[in-house]
Amino acid sequence: MDQGSHLRPGDDGELSVLIGQTLLGFRDSFVMVMSRARQRVIQGFIVFSIVVLLLWIAAFLYGSFYYSYMPKATFSSPVHYYYRADCESPASFLCSYPVANVSLMRNKKHVLTFGQAYRMSLQLEMPDSPTNQELGMFMIKTTCFSRDGGQVASSARSSMLRYHSDLMMNLRTLLFLPAFLTGVAEQEQVLQVELFSDYTDDPYAPSVTAVIEIMSNKVQIYSSQLYIHAHFTGIRHLLFNFPLLSALVGVSSNFIFLSLLFVLSYVRLLFRVNLGAEQLRTDGLLSNRDRNLNNNQHEDAAAGTAELMGPLQMTPTNLSQERTHL
């Protein structure tokens, strides 16, 4: 019984060997799992970096296309009139018509884009004075000139103040009297005159300046402003009115195109690497075969030569024996 209850000395060694092998298997499995996990993390990081890079390039390409293709939507410039006031006739306030010269250049670049239709309008802030009310209709002439002084386009538009009866003027004055007294509001009218409804600049003679002339020497003006609005059509209309949707479609299209190019380039590179490895393997096999053939040919040639020269071959021992015999 005592002998059966105790383990043999060989059993302890076998148990320790089994435990060691199990621990080694666990260690190998753990190392393999960690190496695979690290490899997956590295691959995921590389894929993420490539995707981010392609997205950035796609957004950059769309932004470059947008800012190079889309012209400026609006442009405004103050209009300052000049006139002569040294006349001797007391019948008129001014000796000449008010004329303004407005530049269509910004930072030595043309404001208007070639081939794009624009709408030009003039905003006039005029006092609601008896002089302007008695003025009635007046003409506004606009002429665009090129750099060499040639006339590119011209237009003439009429305008006048809105009519208000004396009763309406008195009621309006009483209603807005606190605003008038505090300076919040003024007794004025704002006129919006359309100078060009569909103006397209000439690419061979682009406009660099616009001359605005009010053909009345009794007109009274607080301030004036020239507005130019682009009238977009087609793709520009979509890009301007739906910027988020256009950006999403443009960036997605660029990303898909760049991804396709990247995948095709990567597949071509893998195919070239595999083809090179197969070619190297084939070249190695051929070189080994040629080397074996050359060795065999040399051995065969040496053997044939030895057979042919067999009777003529004499060793030094044979030569000495023949000399002694002689």
Side-chain angles (χ1 to χ4, degrees), residues 216-231:
S216 175
N217 54 3
K218 294 183 179 181
V219 66
Q220 296 176 350
I221 301 173
Y222 280 147
S223 63
S224 181
Q225 197 84 8
L226 177 65
Y227 292 99
I228 300 177
H229 298 274
H231 180 63

Side-chain angles (χ1 to χ4, degrees), residues 54 61 251-264:
L54 292 179
L61 292 176
V251 173
S252 302
S253 302
N254 292 335
F255 178 75
I256 293 173
F257 179 72
L258 292 174
S259 301
L260 183 62
L261 287 180
F262 178 79
V263 171
L264 291 178

Side-chain angles (χ1 to χ4, degrees), residues 144-280:
C144 297
F145 294 94
S146 61
R147 188 178 296 275
D148 56 358
Q151 180 177 332
V152 179
S154 179
S155 70
R157 299 289 186 269
S158 62
S159 183
M160 66 176 297
L161 292 179
R162 297 290 180 181
Y163 172 74
H164 298 289
S165 63
D166 295 338
L167 179 59
M168 290 295 296
M169 290 290 295
N170 294 332
L171 291 177
R172 184 172 179 273
T173 302
L174 291 176
L175 181 62
F176 292 98
L177 183 61
F180 292 153
L181 292 176
T182 56
V184 176
E186 295 181 355
Q187 289 182 313
E188 65 177 7
Q189 290 190 30
V190 179
L191 300 181
Q192 197 79 19
V193 184
E194 186 182 72
L195 304 178
F196 293 96
S197 59
D198 191 8
Y199 179 78
T200 304
D201 202 8
D202 189 1
Y204 300 101
S207 303
V208 297
T209 183
V211 177
I212 301 174
E213 182 180 6
I214 300 178
M215 304 178 69
S216 175
N217 54 3
K218 294 183 179 181
V219 66
Q220 296 176 350
I221 301 173
Y222 280 147
S223 63
S224 181
Q225 197 84 8
L226 177 65
Y227 292 99
I228 300 177
H229 298 274
H231 180 63
F232 295 127
T233 56
I235 298 178
R236 289 176 175 172
H237 176 77
L238 297 176
L239 292 176
F240 182 75
N241 294 303
F242 304 98
L244 295 179
L245 181 61
S246 302
L248 181 61
V249 173
V251 173
S252 302
S253 302
N254 292 335
F255 178 75
I256 293 173
F257 179 72
L258 292 174
S259 301
L260 183 62
L261 287 180
F262 178 79
V263 171
L264 291 178
S265 302
Y266 184 71
V267 171
R268 183 179 179 183
L269 180 62
L270 288 180
F271 179 75
R272 183 177 298 178
V273 170
N274 294 332
L275 184 62
E278 292 179 358
Q279 187 174 2
L280 289 175

Side-chain angles (χ1 to χ4, degrees), residues 23-37:
L23 293 177
L24 289 175
F26 286 157
R27 187 189 65 179
D28 295 339
S29 302
F30 179 76
V31 170
M32 185 179 299
V33 170
M34 290 300 296
S35 62
R36 289 182 178 178

Side-chain angles (χ1 to χ4, degrees), residues 10-69:
D11 294 340
D12 295 337
E14 293 178 358
L15 182 60
S16 61
V17 170
L18 291 176
I19 293 174
Q21 292 179 353
T22 305
L23 293 177
L24 289 175
F26 286 157
R27 187 189 65 179
D28 295 339
S29 302
F30 179 76
V31 170
M32 185 179 299
V33 170
M34 290 300 296
S35 62
R36 289 182 178 178
R38 183 176 62 182
Q39 187 177 3
R40 295 292 184 271
V41 169
I42 294 173
Q43 291 177 355
F45 178 76
I46 293 174
V47 171
F48 177 76
S49 302
I50 293 173
V51 170
V52 170
L53 180 61
L54 292 179
L55 282 175
W56 187 86
I57 295 175
F60 176 76
L61 292 176
Y62 175 78
S64 302
F65 165 76
Y66 183 87
Y67 285 105
S68 62
Y69 183 71

Side-chain angles (χ1 to χ4, degrees), residues 107-127:
N107 298 326
K108 299 181 180 181
K109 295 181 180 180
H110 294 278
V111 173
L112 307 180
T113 303
F114 305 141
Q116 174 63 44
Y118 291 92
R119 176 181 177 270
M120 293 188 185
S121 60
L122 182 66
Q123 180 179 300
L124 297 172
E125 294 183 8
M126 304 174 62

